[in-house]
Amino acid sequence: MNKLKALFLFALIFILATSIPAYAGDWVKLNSNGTKVWVDTSHWETKQRWVTSGYWTTQQVWVPEQGHWEKYWVDTSHWETRQVWVQSGYWDTRQVWVDTSHYETRQVWVDTSHWETRKVWVDTSHWEYRKVWVESGYWKTEAVWVPEKGHWEYKYVGGWGFVDWKAGGPFKKVWVVDVPAHWEYKKVWVDTSHWEVQKVWVKDGYWKTEKVWVKSGYWKTEKVWVQSGYWKTERVWVDTSHWETQRVWVQDGYWAQRWVVDVPGHYETRQVWVDTSHWETYKEWVKSGYWDEVHGTISVSKTPQYVFTNKHTLPDGSVCDMTLNISYALNKKVTNIRAIHVVNRYQNKGMLYVEPYSVIKNIGGTSGSAVLKFQYEKPGDENSTLYVYFDLEGGGSFEIQMNIPINGIYADSKFNIPDPVFKKSIKDSEVITF
């Protein structure tokens, strides 16, 4: 069993190594191997065919007994050219006008604006120049002289000897200084008020009666016609019916006289053929198509930018992996998407074949998508190649490939190793059209 597995892996490596991409982007390479697909244009056609039919019937016919003139049928049927209506057409994708006009209930503005007579204010206010008193001034600090403060009082000045009572007697009025005169700083108001001529607003006016426009109205709910629609792309029947010239069978004739030879006449029973041949319209399936190479658009993107093995974890504690997003729009239906990552291990330790552990597909038509998730046990260099296979309806497949290295760190405290240099693919997303 191990020998068979080794033989299979050797054959796969040989095939992957010898396949040459038919289309090369900066990152995503395509190898269609010249895969051709059958484009089926089979369809129903309406045709007309002549149906020959009839039946035998038994009836009585007259055999003349003597010569006389009788009527007989002269068939003048012939081909003539006339116009007939040919019903034909084909399916085509085009923009058609979809009329979605309808009645709906909405609020509309009913305008009841009108003229009415009312008393309005006529404003004649204006600016004019007048002489007005302007109160102004300012505070300033300055040195001022403060006179001395004191009071008069009587003092006893009497003594021994003669007392002059006319001069005041023994008491004399003297000035007593309480606060001596001095300079001090005070905040004083400098009054600059004055008369000046300036522009003042004069408010004036009068009432008068005039006709004014009164804007009014109200909202009401009513049924209104809404003209609407939009353009959309849909498959519509295009009628290419037309008049054309063709030969048709015209059944025509007339009655004429024929001389019948004198023979014994009698009634007899004969079997005659009743012709019910006619034209009928039928549908015939016309099988058609052509071979065409696979072409379309494929979009590929991956995360993260630097891919690590599952021995490493993200800041949230989850195991490192890689997610590959693929979307396509082709001229052929895709029935399956498969992938395998051939990891080229370092130091010639061989190759590791990794398949996705999770696949979410939305396929089955000419357009679709897939999300593939991978986890890696071992690191690989920049020659590690991821192959994605597209299986097509009716057989055949093609592949795309891209180089994605896998990073890994293995260290021992005994060794002094330099800082690692991580590797990444040359791109993380690309769209190819082929």
Side-chain angles (χ1 to χ4, degrees):
M1 187 65 184
N2 293 331
K3 292 182 178 179
L4 292 176
K5 187 176 181 180
L7 182 60
F8 168 76
L9 295 179
F10 174 77
L12 179 61
I13 296 171
F14 177 76
I15 292 173
L16 298 180
T18 56
S19 60
I20 300 175
Y23 176 91
D26 293 335
W27 178 45
V28 179
K29 316 298 181 184
L30 168 74
N31 184 14
S32 65
N33 294 319
T35 302
K36 288 185 176 292
V37 295
W38 175 254
V39 181
D40 191 4
T41 60
S42 301
H43 58 281
W44 287 100
E45 285 188 1
T46 301
K47 294 185 177 181
Q48 200 177 43
R49 63 186 173 190
W50 177 254
V51 181
T52 302
S53 63
Y55 59 92
W56 288 97
T57 184
T58 302
Q59 65 180 19
Q60 284 189 334
V61 295
W62 172 251
V63 179
E65 62 180 10
Q66 58 183 2
H68 62 275
W69 290 104
E70 67 178 17
K71 289 182 178 180
Y72 72 98
W73 179 255
V74 179
D75 188 2
T76 60
S77 301
H78 60 277
W79 288 98
E80 70 178 24
T81 300
R82 61 172 57 179
Q83 281 187 323
V84 295
W85 181 252
V86 179
Q87 187 74 26
S88 61
Y90 58 92
W91 285 103
D92 189 17
T93 300
R94 59 173 55 184
Q95 281 190 325
V96 296
W97 176 252
V98 180
D99 190 0
T100 58
S101 302
H102 59 282
Y103 277 101
E104 66 179 28
T105 301
R106 59 167 57 178
Q107 278 192 326
V108 294
W109 176 253
V110 180
D111 191 3
T112 58
S113 303
H114 58 281
W115 288 100
E116 67 179 30
T117 302
R118 60 170 58 177
K119 195 173 182 182
V120 295
W121 175 253
V122 181
D123 189 4
T124 59
S125 302
H126 60 280
W127 287 98
E128 66 180 27
Y129 290 94
R130 290 185 180 180
K131 190 174 182 181
V132 296
W133 176 253
V134 180
E135 290 281 352
S136 62
Y138 59 92
W139 289 96
K140 74 174 183 178
T141 302
E142 62 180 12
V144 295
W145 175 252
V146 180
E148 68 176 10
K149 293 182 180 181
H151 62 277
W152 291 99
E153 65 180 26
Y154 288 94
K155 288 187 175 182
Y156 181 73
V157 295
W160 305 101
F162 176 77
V163 177
D164 187 0
W165 290 99
K166 292 182 179 180
F171 295 93
K172 186 177 182 179
K173 188 177 181 181
V174 295
W175 175 255
V176 180
V177 177
D178 296 324
V179 178
H182 61 280
W183 290 93
E184 67 179 25
Y185 290 93
K186 290 185 177 179
K187 196 172 184 181
V188 296
W189 173 255
V190 181
D191 189 5
T192 59
S193 301
H194 59 281
W195 287 96
E196 69 178 25
V197 176
Q198 64 181 14
K199 192 177 183 182
V200 295
W201 177 251
V202 181
K203 192 171 184 180
D204 196 6
Y206 58 92
W207 287 99
K208 75 172 183 178
T209 300
E210 65 178 13
K211 197 174 183 182
V212 295
W213 177 252
V214 180
K215 192 171 184 181
S216 62
Y218 59 93
W219 287 101
K220 75 173 183 178
T221 301
E222 66 176 15
K223 202 172 185 182
V224 295
W225 175 253
V226 181
Q227 187 74 28
S228 62
Y230 59 94
W231 285 100
K232 73 174 183 179
T233 301
E234 64 175 16
R235 200 176 182 211
V236 296
W237 177 254
V238 181
D239 189 2
T240 56
S241 304
H242 59 281
W243 287 100
E244 68 178 23
T245 303
Q246 67 176 24
R247 287 169 62 87
V248 296
W249 177 255
V250 181
Q251 187 73 29
D252 197 3
Y254 58 91
W255 290 100
Q257 298 285 334
R258 185 186 66 176
W259 179 256
V260 181
V261 180
D262 185 8
V263 295
H266 59 281
Y267 280 100
E268 65 182 27
T269 300
R270 294 181 180 175
Q271 199 176 35
V272 294
W273 176 255
V274 180
D275 189 3
T276 59
S277 301
H278 59 282
W279 287 98
E280 73 177 7
T281 301
Y282 68 99
K283 275 192 174 182
E284 179 179 293
W285 179 252
V286 180
K287 193 171 184 180
S288 61
Y290 58 92
W291 287 98
D292 189 14
E293 289 191 0
V294 178
H295 57 81
T297 299
I298 297 177
S299 175
V300 181
S301 65
K302 77 167 181 69
T303 55
Q305 187 178 35
Y306 291 89
V307 182
F308 286 87
T309 66
N310 57 10
K311 304 298 187 298
H312 303 79
T313 57
L314 298 174
D316 61 1
S318 59
V319 177
C320 290
D321 63 358
M322 182 187 75
T323 300
L324 190 73
N325 291 279
I326 302 172
S327 61
Y328 65 88
L330 307 173
N331 64 331
K332 186 68 174 179
K333 290 183 178 180
V334 175
T335 59
N336 192 24
I337 292 179
R338 300 171 288 117
I340 186 169
H341 198 166
V342 181
V343 180
N344 189 32
R345 298 184 61 190
Y346 290 94
Q347 298 176 352
N348 298 321
K349 291 184 179 180
M351 294 185 177
L352 186 65
Y353 300 89
V354 181
E355 295 183 353
Y357 72 87
S358 172
V359 179
I360 300 176
K361 301 177 185 177
N362 178 22
I363 59 176
T366 56
S367 62
S369 61
V371 179
L372 313 176
K373 290 181 176 291
F374 297 80
Q375 283 187 357
Y376 304 93
E377 293 185 359
K378 305 293 183 181
D381 61 20
E382 58 270 28
N383 293 322
S384 300
T385 305
L386 174 61
Y387 298 87
V388 181
Y389 302 92
F390 294 79
D391 296 330
L392 304 176
E393 182 183 51
S397 66
F398 67 94
E399 69 185 43
I400 60 173
Q401 53 187 260
M402 60 221 76
N403 292 337
I404 303 175
I406 313 300
N407 296 284
I409 303 175
Y410 300 98
D412 193 313
S413 59
K414 296 184 298 183
F415 301 100
N416 183 17
I417 60 173
D419 294 334
V421 178
F422 300 123
K423 296 183 178 180
K424 62 178 181 178
S425 54
I426 60 174
K427 278 189 174 182
D428 293 313
S429 64
E430 190 171 33
V431 178
I432 61 171
T433 301
F434 56 96

